[in-house]
Amino acid sequence: MPEAFYCQPLDTLFDQLGSSRDGLSEEEAAARLGRYGPNRLETAPSASPWKLLAEQFRNVLIITLLIATVLSAFLGHGIEAIAIAVIVLFAVLLGFVQEYRAEKAIEALRKMAAPASKVIRDGREQMIPALEVVPGDLIAVAAGDRIPADARLVEAANLRTDEAALTGESLPSEKDAAAILTSDTSVGDRRNMLFAGTSAVHGRGLAIVTATAMETEFGRIAGMLQRVESEKTPLQKNLDKVGVSLARAALVIVAVIVALGIVRGQPFIDILIFGIALAVAVVPEALPAVVTISLALGVQRMVKRNALMRRLPAVETLGSTTVICSDKTGTLTRDEMTVRRIYAAGNDVSVAGSGYRPEGEMKIDGVSGELPPPVRELLQAGALCSDAMLGRSPEGEWRISGDPTEAALIVAARKAGLDEIDLRQRFPRIDEQPFSSETKRMTTVHRSEATTFAIVKGAPEVLLPACSSALDASGQPEALDDSSRRDILEKVEAMGRDALRVIAIARKESAGIADASDGLTFLGLAGMIDPPREEAKEAVERCLAAGIRPVMITGDHPVTARAVARELGILRDGHVLSGVEIEAMDDRALGEAAGSAEVFARVSPEHKLRIVEALQKRGEVVAMTGDGVNDAPALKRADIGISMGISGTDVSREASAMTLLDDNFSTIVAAIEEGRGIYDNIKKYLTYLLSSNIGELGLMAGATLLGIPLPLTAVQILYVNLATDGLPALALAVDPAEPGIMQRPPNDPKKGIFSRSVLALMLAGGLWSTLVNLVLFEWSRHSGRSLSESMTMTFVSLVLIQFFKAYNFRSETEHVFRNTFSNRWLNLAILWELFMLAAIIYVPALTAPFSTFAMPPEDWLIVICGAFSVVPVIEAVKWLVRNGRL
């Protein structure tokens, strides 16, 4: 296997790529274009819209409902057939739209390619479409250019590139053409390479193209996106199981009913039609509509909390989330460099505030007060020796232009009351020497009223040896002895241990550029960092209280990641795992390490994907947050991918299931709270619907087995399924969340929705309904009432029992008399259904098709008492659940 391009000397690389410092010839470039193809990202063979639509019908519940539609039409129940068909169409179209939109992620990647590139061919510089760049081409880049392909640097002059979208690194990456690296160097540390899709922010460079199209780092991400399969949510898996079980039950019921009817000598066609009607009744036709509508309502509530859901089924996954894998830059942090600490003339100054908002108190050794002259001198010098600008956007947000490090110095000066615009007018710049990776310093020369002076800022290890003096407490220069140098270096090391990027600043009076290389007066140090979001720490605490483990996954340096994670409370008892360590692990070892690691640093896109998969294999439900292209494959693979709406790339947004409209980590916690409420409500209406179906099925099956007349007609069964069950179930979908919802562990995905307590409630309600209605039917038949009156009493009893159960199932543990009527939508649904029930019994136009009888008051009293008996039965089951006996 040939050595990686970033490990080879340039002469060897030119030979390997068949190129030279004059670039390729036009003929050779054309030949390579034919060999390697255009420099663009490929897409996997995409399914036609018709195929995507057909895929939606590969769902057991949908197929069962389609059969129900046909059978309802066959039985002459046109309204029911139309209703079921509308439900199916709604669910199918929703799934089609989701899948069709998800495929746009590759298109978003393609848009990030550079439209044109500057290349050298036949020794001449020319502009060509980025599509025509080939391996071996020599490309020229300057500040502002988008890099068209992966390339090894040949020359670099103060070149820095923004690779945040690819690596997650918050600061521009400094490039070094002379570097020869080892083979295990991660993408974020390959300082002699340029990468497609990133951009140059400073300086210029010349590079030889090593990879184009799908062979680039961006191309590899695109390939991973094509291969990554989205996981089904816990709800989808549970509903699939329910669909299979109900389909099997329906077939068994038809067979049993027909067989018993034949044995008893009943007309075959009559018993077949009724068996089919009962089988249709087994399937809760309202279920897909209730699921879809409740998720859609949840999505609307979440938008109000700045969380936009792109995929409806992912809403309930939030309630099961056990791990949040969060990117650092821009998600947990602000992606805005901020000065945190200043050291000047023996003064340790802490700087409050974060980001580019020029607000925050400065304290000396923890005490507020007026800043001494040496500190103000340092801040003034830092603002003068900077090119960045600070201002407000039209929306009133603070924004910077220029280098983030320089912007941090300007914001710090503003916090001390020093305005950089005023300073630049008072001390105009007359000369400068820009920062370079070779000198690691920047020098500016300014004119004051009487003289000129030079300001130098740069790396402490470079600047300190050039200093011969330092300011004393009064702001006057004094000789810099060895003891003072040691003190300064100790401060640098202390700041470094806290992951602060340290900048040293010095000054020289009556000096120009040529005189500013030595004899400087040391002014002090500024330690800065991309700070955690102020609200992120509280959000992390809420995650921990809710039993959710937050994990940081970043392309940033381990020291920086460790400091930020510790400050946020993410890094507690676990450890930090680097990309190099992950690379050396097989999947089994990574799975073991992922159980205790709380920070993953210097990771590549492949590592992020492997981490998510390792956590999922451990049984975790994983939410992955991110904003860069490098996050997209992991976002798509996670149980729920969460992208950033403001700073996020199109690629990450299209690959995710949820987008944070405010880029705020705390919004995730609010969304999880909403998701838990939605998950609880799904359990409520599933318990309600399936318990109702058990009651109906038990009643009809029991009557058949006992050899007595059937208590309900086919029309009555279908009405109960579509109308009586539907509206209360929808009302339960918007039930208010129970107190303490974020103080309990996440929902266990292994147990699913049908936990022991849910099954117990469902069976208790359904079987008691069966028993009460069978007894009522038989008693009324033998009490001198007609069959029509007995059937009507049983029909009304079945409906009322389901109304009582709707209130009972609002909680698995709390008794029904606590906040009984707090769900106004349920109250309205029950009132409407009672009105409809009365109409079916007393309106002559409806009594015939529904085969009902006008019930006298004494029948109502009997029916209501029998129906209410379900309440103490369910309350007894709740008591067992509360006391841990179920």
Side-chain angles (χ1 to χ4, degrees):
M1 183 176 178
E3 200 172 14
F5 296 118
Y6 51 87
C7 304
Q8 302 180 39
L10 283 172
D11 292 340
T12 306
L13 191 60
F14 274 111
D15 291 341
Q16 184 179 331
L17 292 170
S19 186
S20 69
R21 293 180 183 269
D22 288 331
L24 299 173
S25 66
E26 290 291 352
E27 294 78 11
E28 178 61 21
R32 294 190 183 193
L33 185 61
R35 188 189 319 157
Y36 295 107
N39 179 31
R40 64 181 173 205
L41 300 180
E42 298 172 2
T43 57
S46 57
S48 68
W50 290 111
K51 186 174 180 181
L52 283 177
L53 190 60
E55 286 289 318
Q56 308 309 311
F57 291 93
R58 294 178 61 183
N59 177 301
V60 178
L61 201 55
I62 294 294
I63 292 170
T64 308
L65 287 176
L66 285 174
I67 294 171
T69 305
V70 174
L71 294 176
S72 294
F74 175 73
L75 291 170
H77 304 302
I79 293 175
E80 289 87 347
I82 292 170
I84 300 172
V86 168
I87 290 168
V88 172
L89 183 65
F90 185 76
V92 164
L93 286 178
L94 183 65
F96 168 75
V97 169
Q98 289 167 0
E99 290 195 15
Y100 188 75
R101 186 177 178 187
E103 297 308 314
K104 290 183 179 177
I106 303 298
E107 287 296 324
L109 264 175
R110 192 180 289 127
K111 289 176 184 175
M112 294 189 73
S117 301
K118 193 181 294 181
V119 301
I120 296 173
R121 288 183 179 171
D122 291 322
R124 291 181 294 105
E125 191 176 281
Q126 55 184 294
M127 293 292 292
I128 65 169
L131 285 172
E132 297 177 9
V133 171
V134 296
D137 258 330
L138 211 57
I139 57 171
V141 295
D145 289 346
R146 182 66 63 86
I147 313 298
D150 287 5
R152 167 69 187 276
L153 279 166
V154 177
E155 298 174 7
N158 303 329
L159 182 62
R160 279 176 277 171
T161 60
D162 180 1
E163 297 176 356
L166 183 65
T167 66
E169 176 65 68
S170 54
L171 290 171
S173 176
E174 294 182 11
K175 296 300 177 180
D176 181 3
I180 297 176
L181 309 174
T182 57
S183 59
D184 61 353
T185 306
S186 64
V187 173
D189 291 324
R190 294 175 194 169
R191 61 185 187 277
N192 60 1
M193 295 290 293
L194 301 178
F195 299 104
T198 63
S199 56
V201 296
H202 192 273
R204 57 181 177 79
L206 194 66
I208 182 170
V209 174
T210 57
T212 58
M214 297 299 286
E215 299 302 314
T216 64
E217 292 295 324
F218 259 58
R220 286 170 51 251
I221 294 173
M224 289 164 63
L225 270 177
Q226 293 170 9
R227 295 189 297 271
V228 170
E229 294 292 331
S230 297
E231 282 283 282
K232 280 191 173 183
T233 70
L235 176 64
Q236 289 171 317
K237 293 173 184 176
N238 275 295
L239 290 181
D240 282 348
K241 290 178 183 176
V242 171
V244 171
S245 300
L246 292 177
R248 289 174 178 169
L251 290 173
V252 171
I253 288 162
V254 172
V256 170
I257 294 292
V258 171
L260 287 173
I262 292 172
V263 169
R264 290 175 182 153
Q266 293 175 276
F268 176 75
I269 190 64
D270 290 349
I271 199 68
L272 176 63
I273 288 174
F274 190 82
I276 291 171
L278 189 57
V280 170
V282 171
V283 181
E285 287 88 352
L287 182 57
V290 173
V291 169
T292 302
I293 292 168
S294 66
L295 293 179
L297 292 172
V299 165
Q300 290 180 2
R301 293 196 300 273
M302 293 174 90
V303 166
K304 294 177 182 177
R305 303 181 80 165
N306 290 315
L308 176 64
M309 299 301 303
R310 291 186 56 249
R311 297 173 191 157
L312 288 185
V315 175
E316 57 84 27
T317 310
L318 285 166
S320 304
T321 299
T322 58
V323 176
I324 298 177
C325 295
S326 178
D327 186 44
K328 178 184 75 69
T329 306
T331 308
L332 289 166
T333 64
R334 300 181 61 92
D335 198 13
E336 298 176 354
M337 291 299 289
T338 304
V339 173
R340 277 285 185 85
R341 208 173 302 164
I342 292 170
Y343 175 75
N347 297 294
D348 279 307
V349 184
S350 61
V351 185
S354 64
Y356 297 137
R357 182 182 294 276
E359 297 173 3
E361 188 179 12
M362 294 188 178
K363 294 182 179 180
I364 302 172
D365 297 322
V367 180
S368 302
E370 186 177 348
L371 295 176
V375 177
R376 295 186 66 83
E377 182 77 20
L378 170 71
L379 291 169
Q380 176 177 295
L384 286 171
C385 191
S386 298
D387 294 320
M389 300 290 290
L390 178 68
R392 286 183 182 270
S393 67
E395 296 78 25
E397 294 292 322
W398 289 97
R399 293 284 184 265
I400 64 110
S401 60
D403 186 86
T405 301
E406 295 186 348
L409 293 172
I410 285 175
V411 172
R414 287 272 191 107
K415 290 176 180 178
L418 298 170
D419 187 288
E420 75 280 3
I421 297 174
D422 177 59
L423 290 173
R424 289 166 183 170
Q425 290 174 346
R426 287 169 52 203
F427 307 106
R429 186 184 300 182
I430 57 176
D431 201 359
E432 66 180 280
Q433 185 178 53
F435 177 90
S436 72
S437 55
E438 289 78 20
T439 63
K440 292 188 176 181
R441 66 169 77 184
M442 174 182 179
T443 305
T444 57
V445 180
H446 301 265
R447 185 174 61 246
S448 63
E449 292 180 359
T451 183
T452 62
F453 60 91
I455 299 173
V456 186
K457 77 171 191 294
E461 66 271 18
V462 173
L463 215 58
L464 195 56
C467 294
S468 58
S469 61
L471 294 185
D472 61 16
S474 64
Q476 298 301 313
E478 64 177 6
L480 191 61
D481 56 25
D482 291 341
S483 175
S484 298
R485 291 180 190 275
R486 282 195 299 271
D487 290 343
I488 293 169
L489 289 174
E490 285 176 5
K491 292 294 181 184
V492 172
E493 290 175 5
M495 289 184 183
R497 284 194 296 272
D498 290 334
L500 297 179
R501 185 185 188 192
V502 185
I503 300 294
I505 301 175
R507 172 174 171 150
K508 188 174 184 179
E509 298 294 335
S510 304
I513 293 294
D515 309 317
S517 57
D518 55 20
L520 305 177
T521 299
F522 180 77
L523 299 181
L525 305 169
M528 58 189 70
I529 195 173
D530 177 16
R533 291 178 176 270
E534 294 170 3
E535 62 279 2
K537 186 172 183 179
E538 180 186 349
V540 167
E541 290 173 356
R542 291 194 68 199
C543 282
L544 295 171
I548 301 166
R549 183 163 69 101
V551 173
M552 179 188 290
I553 303 181
T554 178
D556 224 335
H557 195 279
V559 174
T560 306
R562 180 181 285 108
V564 173
R566 186 177 290 117
E567 183 172 345
L568 285 169
I570 291 175
L571 186 61
R572 303 175 308 282
D573 305 321
H575 60 279
V576 179
L577 206 60
S578 71
V580 174
E581 292 171 301
I582 295 171
E583 196 68 41
M585 293 178 176
D586 58 19
D587 290 344
R588 182 177 178 180
L590 179 58
E592 293 175 1
S596 57
E598 292 168 338
V599 176
F600 298 87
R602 265 296 185 255
V603 295
S604 67
E606 291 94 337
H607 296 154
K608 292 187 178 187
L609 189 57
R610 284 185 65 200
I611 293 164
V612 169
E613 290 173 341
L615 288 166
Q616 288 174 330
K617 286 176 183 176
R618 293 179 60 88
E620 306 281 8
V621 177
V622 182
M624 167 73 188
T625 75
D627 58 356
V629 175
N630 59 325
D631 300 319
L635 286 173
K636 189 173 180 182
R637 183 65 178 85
D639 296 284
I640 178 163
I642 305 171
S643 61
M644 304 295 112
I646 299 172
S647 62
T649 60
D650 287 344
V651 182
S652 63
R653 284 193 288 268
E654 289 295 332
S656 65
M658 183 174 95
T659 299
L660 304 182
L661 300 180
D662 58 356
D663 284 16
N664 194 328
F665 183 81
S666 62
T667 300
I668 300 171
V669 183
I672 287 175
E673 183 176 3
E674 194 69 53
R676 287 190 176 189
I678 291 168
Y679 187 91
D680 282 358
N681 289 347
I682 288 171
K683 284 204 296 187
K684 292 173 190 177
Y685 62 65
L686 275 177
T687 307
Y688 170 72
L689 283 175
L690 295 178
S691 175
S692 299
N693 278 58
I694 290 170
E696 296 164 32
L697 179 59
L699 173 62
M700 304 307 290
T704 303
L705 292 171
L706 293 171
I708 61 176
L710 295 170
L712 300 174
T713 67
V715 174
Q716 288 172 346
I717 292 172
L718 290 170
Y719 175 80
V720 169
N721 256 29
L722 285 171
T724 306
D725 289 353
L727 280 179
L730 275 176
L732 287 174
V734 292
D735 207 39
E738 294 185 55
I741 198 169
M742 289 298 284
Q743 273 74 52
R744 69 185 194 204
N747 305 310
D748 188 346
K750 293 178 183 176
K751 292 182 180 178
I753 287 175
F754 301 107
S755 60
R756 288 176 64 184
S757 58
V758 168
L759 286 172
L761 289 167
M762 190 189 304
L763 289 171
L767 294 177
W768 187 257
S769 174
T770 297
L771 179 62
V772 167
N773 288 319
L774 276 173
V775 170
L776 176 65
F777 181 65
E778 274 299 275
W779 174 82
S780 61
R781 274 204 320 124
H782 291 88
S783 65
R785 292 172 173 80
S786 67
L787 180 62
S788 175
E789 188 173 357
S790 298
M791 292 177 69
T792 301
M793 289 179 71
T794 307
F795 171 63
V796 172
S797 173
L798 177 66
V799 171
L800 292 182
I801 284 175
Q802 291 178 188
F803 290 167
F804 286 126
K805 285 194 291 187
Y807 284 103
N808 266 102
F809 289 151
R810 289 186 61 209
S811 174
E812 288 180 49
T813 54
E814 297 294 335
H815 58 74
V816 69
F817 303 108
R818 180 176 179 178
N819 298 322
T820 307
F821 302 109
S822 59
N823 185 339
R824 64 189 183 96
W825 295 109
L826 181 58
N827 301 335
L828 291 172
I830 297 299
L831 286 174
W832 169 255
E833 292 297 342
L834 284 171
F835 170 78
M836 289 298 298
L837 182 62
I840 287 170
I841 294 171
Y842 294 112
V843 175
L846 296 175
T847 55
F850 282 94
S851 305
T852 53
F853 179 88
M855 286 170 50
E858 58 268 23
D859 284 0
W860 274 102
L861 184 62
I862 293 167
V863 168
I864 290 172
C865 289
F868 186 77
S869 67
V870 78
V871 174
V873 171
I874 295 177
E875 287 302 309
V877 175
K878 288 184 182 180
W879 181 85
L880 293 173
V881 173
R882 280 197 300 271
N883 289 277
R885 301 188 183 186
L886 275 177

